[in-house]
């Protein structure tokens, strides 16, 4: 089949236009539903209109530009950023989708690209709100309760200010799309390290979140003898060391785990902590490894409780939903990469992405371009122009192959 290519200069110009909206150092500060995020949505609306797509925004702030073709491929990513973060995490996938629509929609007769920008992939108000809403995994009650994690704005208030409150939410319709394709920066250093051009995503890890609570006895730090203390802080630290020693024995090759937050209660210099709370997160694309990690963690906690003097409990806050990417999409990405002389590797994604939830509604796939130094979620995040343009060529050609199949 003919090889399709992107207009590299146009892709770079669009990404730089978005970089200028909420600019922060060399990155951006564009939290969900903030004025710069809303400005980026208006920017996208204008681009969609200018290229023959009909944009609409729903009640959670999702933007979808439709071309009205009988056979359609949905493409996209997100426009908001983490706080004071990078310029490519999200916008790369939206601009590639826009470029695919610009290149392919005028030449394909009854097939075409629809472009999506999902709201709040970065979880300012809650994890992947927009894409979860689209696949029917976001309740009105969760929206009622959702509060922005930095400034405490209520999601309902932010949607009202944006003018999106009360609108219906888009819902994935069975059979509407042949699939979903998303491009993203890798956010790791595997591609750069192995000098490869394109990552073909096989699966997206699920994220399991646990809370571990250690109960001791709160008391005076000056008068309580060491021998009779039940210090929850010390017990928490001992448990972490024990988990670090034991978990590698049961982990899979890609399992990762993190204690990202420890709270000591009451957390004062002259008080022995009576309670410690630890947020413990496990990620893997294979739930069997997570089950082994959880079992080993529970065993370590049981051993600690037998030894005393504190009492520890673990609670599951959220179970993960690993997502598997479509084999057809993976093969199309590889064929497009080969046509453009780009090297590929199949790899799982350790980060969550909108494609994860889209995959529950339709065949979905993702391609990664290299991240310089593997840095992301930081304003220094970057990818070379050559890699951005190469990725755009492969993306557009992948879309053409999927629509031709
Ligand atoms: Zn992202």
């Amino acid at each position: 089949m003919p090889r399709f290519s992107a207009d590299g200069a146009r892709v770079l110009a669009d990404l730089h236009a978005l970089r200028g909206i909420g600019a922060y150092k060399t990155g951006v500060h564009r939290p969900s539903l903030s004025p710069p995020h809303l400005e980026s949505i208006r920017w996208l609306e204008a681009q969609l209109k200018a290229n023959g797509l009909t944009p609409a925004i729903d009640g959670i702030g999702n933007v979808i530009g439709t071309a009205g073709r009988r056979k359609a491929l949905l493409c996209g990513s997100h426009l908001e950023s983490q706080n004071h973060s990078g310029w490519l995490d999200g916008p790369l996938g939206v601009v590639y989708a826009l470029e695919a629509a610009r290149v392919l929609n005028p030449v394909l007769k009854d097939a075409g690209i629809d472009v999506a920008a999902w709201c709040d992939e970065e979880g300012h108000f809650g994890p992947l709100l927009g894409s979860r809403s689209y696949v029917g995994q976001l309740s009105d009650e969760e929206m009622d309760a959702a509060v922005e994690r930095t400034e405490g704005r209520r999601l309902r208030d932010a949607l009202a200010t944006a003018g999106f409150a009360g609108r219906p939410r888009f819902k994935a319709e069975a059979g509407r799309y042949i699939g979903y394709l998303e491009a993203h920066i890798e956010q790791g250093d595997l591609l750069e390290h192995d000098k490869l051009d394109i990552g073909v995503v096989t699966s997206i890890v699920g994220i399991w979140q646990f809370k571990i609570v250690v109960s001791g006895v709160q008391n005076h730090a000056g008068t309580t003898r060491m021998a009779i203390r039940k210090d929850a802080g010390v017990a928490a630290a001992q448990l972490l060391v024990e988990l670090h020693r034991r978990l590698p024995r049961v982990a899979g090759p890609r399992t990762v785990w993190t204690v990202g937050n420890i709270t000591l209660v009451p957390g004062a210099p002259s008080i022995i902590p009576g309670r410690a709370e630890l947020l413990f997160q496990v990620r893997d694309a294979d739930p069997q490894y997570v089950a082994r990690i959880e079992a080993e963690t529970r065993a370590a906690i049981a051993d600690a409780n037998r030894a005393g003097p504190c009492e520890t409990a673990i609670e599951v806050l959220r179970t993960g939903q690993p997502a598997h990417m479509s084999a057809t999409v993976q093969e199309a990405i590889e064929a497009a990469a080969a046509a453009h002389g780009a090297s590929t590797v199949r790899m799982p994604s350790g980060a969550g992405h909108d494609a994860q939830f889209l995959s529950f509604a339709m065949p979905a796939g993702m391609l990664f371009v290299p991240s310089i130094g593997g840095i992301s979620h930081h304003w220094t995040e970057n990818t070379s122009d050559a890699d951005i343009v190469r990725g755009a060529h492969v993306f557009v050609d992948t879309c053409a192959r999927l629509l031709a199949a």
Side-chain angles (χ1 to χ4, degrees):
M1 67 174 279
R3 191 184 77 159
F4 286 92
S5 298
D7 178 334
R10 184 164 65 182
V11 166
L12 289 168
D14 283 350
L15 287 169
H16 282 283
L18 284 167
R19 192 181 199 169
I21 302 174
Y24 173 79
K25 298 189 180 178
T26 60
V28 294
H29 178 63
R30 215 158 53 217
S32 300
L33 302 173
S34 65
H37 181 219
L38 297 176
E39 189 181 335
S40 71
I41 287 175
R42 286 192 294 274
W43 178 90
L44 178 63
E45 273 189 295
Q47 300 302 316
L48 293 169
K49 277 185 197 154
N51 289 283
L53 293 119
T54 306
I57 304 174
D58 78 352
I60 188 77
N62 284 336
V63 185
I64 299 187
T66 49
R69 303 294 168 86
R70 184 186 59 77
K71 184 179 188 182
L73 178 69
L74 186 61
C75 298
S77 192
H78 58 95
L79 288 171
E80 83 284 342
S81 74
Q82 288 285 345
N83 291 334
H84 307 108
S85 195
W87 67 300
L88 294 169
D89 177 356
L92 181 97
V94 175
V95 169
Y96 278 14
L98 176 64
E99 180 63 10
R102 282 187 298 223
V103 171
L104 299 176
N105 289 359
V107 297
L108 301 179
K109 288 196 177 61
D110 62 350
I113 303 290
D114 285 0
V115 177
W118 310 109
C119 191
D120 206 24
E121 190 274 345
E122 296 291 5
H124 290 271
F125 292 92
L128 296 109
L129 289 188
S131 46
R132 275 201 293 137
S133 171
Y134 187 66
V135 300
Q137 291 197 22
L138 177 68
S139 67
D140 285 323
E141 292 71 29
E142 184 178 345
M143 287 179 67
D144 293 341
V147 171
E148 202 251 3
R149 60 178 146 82
T150 309
E151 290 173 355
R153 269 202 310 169
R154 293 179 56 240
L155 174 63
R156 293 291 189 191
D157 295 341
L159 288 168
T161 306
F164 305 152
R167 295 186 190 192
R169 290 191 273 143
F170 300 144
K171 287 275 143 49
E173 290 167 51
R176 173 70 193 91
Y177 291 109
I178 60 162
Y180 174 74
L181 184 65
E182 177 169 358
H184 208 278
I185 51 168
E186 184 200 345
Q187 304 181 285
D189 70 346
L190 187 143
L191 293 175
E192 182 184 78
H193 181 265
D194 290 352
K195 296 190 169 53
L196 293 163
D197 300 323
I198 300 287
V200 181
V201 179
T202 52
S203 57
I204 300 175
V205 296
I207 301 176
W208 281 257
Q209 188 67 57
F210 301 89
K211 183 160 95 171
I212 297 173
V213 176
V214 184
S215 302
V217 173
Q218 182 179 323
N219 210 336
H220 195 293
T223 59
T224 311
R225 287 183 296 116
M226 295 308 288
I228 63 162
R229 291 186 181 203
K230 294 184 176 180
D231 185 328
V234 171
Q238 283 172 331
L239 178 65
L240 284 194
V241 171
E242 188 64 4
L243 291 177
H244 200 63
R245 190 179 67 80
R246 289 168 69 151
L247 296 185
R249 293 188 214 145
V250 297
R254 300 258 187 184
T255 319
V256 290
W257 58 89
T258 305
V259 173
N261 186 279
I262 303 174
T263 307
L264 298 182
V265 180
S270 295
I271 302 177
I272 299 161
R275 181 180 168 93
E277 293 185 4
L278 299 81
L279 291 179
F280 176 59
Q281 185 187 83
V282 186
R283 297 188 185 213
D284 204 292
D286 187 342
Q288 83 170 17
Y289 288 117
V290 181
R292 292 171 56 165
I293 292 282
E294 182 179 348
E296 188 66 17
T297 301
R298 288 183 186 277
I301 288 171
D303 290 348
N305 286 344
R306 267 191 294 279
C310 295
E311 187 70 25
T312 300
I314 182 167
E315 174 190 349
V316 182
L317 296 183
R318 181 156 74 98
T319 56
Q321 282 181 298
H324 299 287
M325 299 293 103
S326 148
T328 307
V329 178
Q330 292 176 50
E331 284 156 17
I333 298 168
E334 285 168 342
H340 282 277
S343 55
T344 60
V345 63
R346 291 194 177 201
M347 60 188 290
S349 171
H353 293 293
D354 292 308
Q356 179 174 350
F357 286 96
L358 269 294
S359 77
F360 301 140
M362 61 188 84
M366 284 194 85
L367 69 84
F368 284 160
V369 299
S371 291
I372 295 173
I375 292 168
S376 186
H377 284 185
H378 189 268
W379 56 267
T380 55
E381 165 191 290
N382 209 358
T383 295
S384 73
D385 285 359
D387 283 339
I388 290 173
V389 170
R390 186 184 299 107
H393 291 324
V394 173
F395 187 87
V396 169
D397 200 50
T398 301
C399 291
R401 284 165 194 275
L402 290 169
L403 284 168

